[in-house]
Amino acid sequence: MSETKFAETREELSQGLKAAMRRMPGAVALITTRDPANGQPAGLAASAVIPVSMDPPSMLIAINRSASAHAAIERAGRYCVNLLGTTQTALVGLFSNSALREKRFESAEWAYKDGIPYLPTACSSIFCEIRNTVIHGTHELFIGDVYDVRGGSGDGADPLGWMEGTFAQLGRLEAI
Amino acid sequence: MSETKFAETREELSQGLKAAMRRMPGAVALITTRDPANGQPAGLAASAVIPVSMDPPSMLIAINRSASAHAAIERAGRYCVNLLGTTQTALVGLFSNSALREKRFESAEWAYKDGIPYLPTACSSIFCEIRNTVIHGTHELFIGDVYDVRGGSGDGADPLGWMEGTFAQLGRLEAI
């Protein structure tokens, strides 16, 4: 067993958490909304997404307050969580690079529900209305009740995962 | 393309969200604490765990308020997120079945830091002090600042994932 130690300084703590998070498996989602300030669609790629409760059905997203889509989500009071499939990795680059912001919704892939963009080819699109928010450090948590959900067409193939700074696919774990 | 529709009733909404969540990849963690009411360790298995912010370093967990460990976490004001590896699936059963509650910390695998149990063989053990809480429906969200983090020994092998109601392992996605 290789011995590892606890963090002793704030810098070690930060580095240790980053290393731990790199190895933590997660989903990959595009969070989308329609900004009521200009009527335009807005969105960003995120992996900090979890279900909160089934009663009421609700989802939480953690969004960096410096992201351009943050204010749009806040103003809209609604967002859609599009859980991506393994064939949709190109979209993540588009939604992670601010220089490409104007091109994000150019593709014919997008459909709209009450003005909010969603991806019919995603594994699922989960529409949420914000019920509570919490600011913590650089991020704001949005807790939204689910008001609609669309099962994807399956064109997005298997659910896309994220681990060790790169895309991942999930396979059934063989019995130990 | 197989056509799928939006949810039309509350029952369809709930079923649709459950189906979407089954396909959402996630990590598998054991959340542990020491209950100050009786000095005993307490814990549960969870997959609703995300990082919140790196400044301050912080993690969020969503815990069912009916879980026996919920009150212990609340009373302790601290918890440890142990991110499991692929060789640690047996522990998940132990921490998911309330009939086995008394046996959870019997194994010599557990170590303790200030009374809080952690798994030195986990991928990582992240110690958090609760800074904020939000109750939403059946669950309570605990937002904790990370005060210590321990990189695991690697004995737990690759990070353990959860998808489609079963354990999963993650592999690098082949370039599309």
Side-chain angles (χ1 to χ4, degrees):
Chain A
M1 184 192 287
S2 63
E3 260 313 313
T4 56
K5 57 177 182 165
F6 289 98
E8 282 172 10
T9 64
R10 189 169 170 87
E11 180 60 23
E12 279 183 16
L13 190 70
S14 179
Q15 291 303 318
L17 183 61
K18 279 181 189 159
M21 291 303 94
R22 272 182 67 84
R23 299 204 77 203
M24 181 174 168
V28 183
L30 298 183
I31 312 295
T32 52
T33 195
R34 175 185 175 276
D35 189 346
N38 59 14
Q40 295 300 306
L44 80 171
S47 61
V49 176
I50 49 169
V52 175
S53 167
M54 282 294 167
D55 183 20
S58 44
M59 298 279 293
L60 177 148
I61 58 175
I63 302 292
N64 195 312
R65 293 193 283 144
S66 69
S68 62
H70 171 266
I73 292 167
E74 201 162 49
R75 279 190 289 265
R78 293 183 170 207
Y79 55 86
C80 181
V81 177
N82 298 275
L83 291 167
L84 298 187
T86 49
T87 60
Q88 299 178 307
T89 55
L91 280 166
V92 182
L94 195 58
F95 276 75
S96 302
N97 182 344
S98 58
L100 301 174
R101 193 178 304 152
E102 302 304 318
K103 298 186 181 298
R104 288 180 182 166
F105 296 95
E106 280 183 355
S107 149
E109 282 184 274
W110 293 97
Y112 292 83
K113 178 181 163 64
D114 303 333
I116 296 182
Y118 71 94
L119 267 179
T121 52
C123 288
S124 58
S125 296
I126 304 159
F127 295 82
C128 303
E129 183 167 357
I130 296 171
R131 293 296 185 193
N132 211 338
T133 65
V134 182
I135 290 175
H136 194 76
T138 52
H139 282 60
E140 184 162 12
L141 306 172
F142 294 101
I143 301 157
D145 283 354
V146 177
Y147 65 89
D148 217 336
V149 58
R150 190 182 196 285
S153 61
D155 292 8
D158 294 327
L160 180 63
W162 182 257
M163 197 177 70
E164 297 184 350
T166 187
F167 297 117
Q169 54 194 350
L170 287 92
R172 186 175 288 267
L173 183 66
E174 300 306 325
I176 304 296
Chain B
M1 184 192 287
S2 63
E3 260 313 314
T4 56
K5 57 177 184 163
F6 289 98
E8 281 171 11
T9 65
R10 188 170 170 87
E11 180 60 23
E12 280 184 14
L13 190 69
S14 179
Q15 292 302 319
L17 182 61
K18 279 180 189 160
M21 290 303 94
R22 273 183 67 84
R23 299 203 78 203
M24 180 173 169
V28 183
L30 298 183
I31 311 294
T32 52
T33 196
R34 176 185 175 273
D35 189 345
N38 59 13
Q40 295 301 305
L44 79 172
S47 61
V49 176
I50 49 168
V52 175
S53 165
M54 283 294 167
D55 184 20
S58 44
M59 298 278 294
L60 176 148
I61 56 175
I63 303 292
N64 195 313
R65 293 193 284 144
S66 70
S68 62
H70 171 267
I73 292 167
E74 201 163 50
R75 279 191 289 264
R78 294 185 169 205
Y79 55 86
C80 180
V81 177
N82 299 276
L83 291 168
L84 298 187
T86 49
T87 60
Q88 300 179 306
T89 55
L91 282 166
V92 181
L94 195 57
F95 276 75
S96 303
N97 181 345
S98 58
L100 301 174
R101 193 178 303 152
E102 302 303 318
K103 298 187 181 299
R104 287 178 183 168
F105 296 96
E106 279 182 356
S107 150
E109 283 184 273
W110 293 96
Y112 292 83
K113 178 182 164 65
D114 303 333
I116 295 182
Y118 71 95
L119 267 180
T121 52
C123 289
S124 57
S125 296
I126 304 160
F127 295 82
C128 303
E129 184 167 355
I130 297 171
R131 295 295 187 193
N132 211 337
T133 63
V134 181
I135 291 174
H136 195 76
T138 53
H139 283 59
E140 183 162 12
L141 306 172
F142 294 101
I143 301 157
D145 283 355
V146 177
Y147 65 89
D148 218 335
V149 59
R150 190 182 196 287
S153 62
D155 292 8
D158 295 326
L160 180 62
W162 183 257
M163 196 178 69
E164 297 182 349
T166 187
F167 297 116
Q169 54 194 349
L170 288 93
R172 185 175 287 267
L173 184 66
E174 301 307 324
I176 304 296

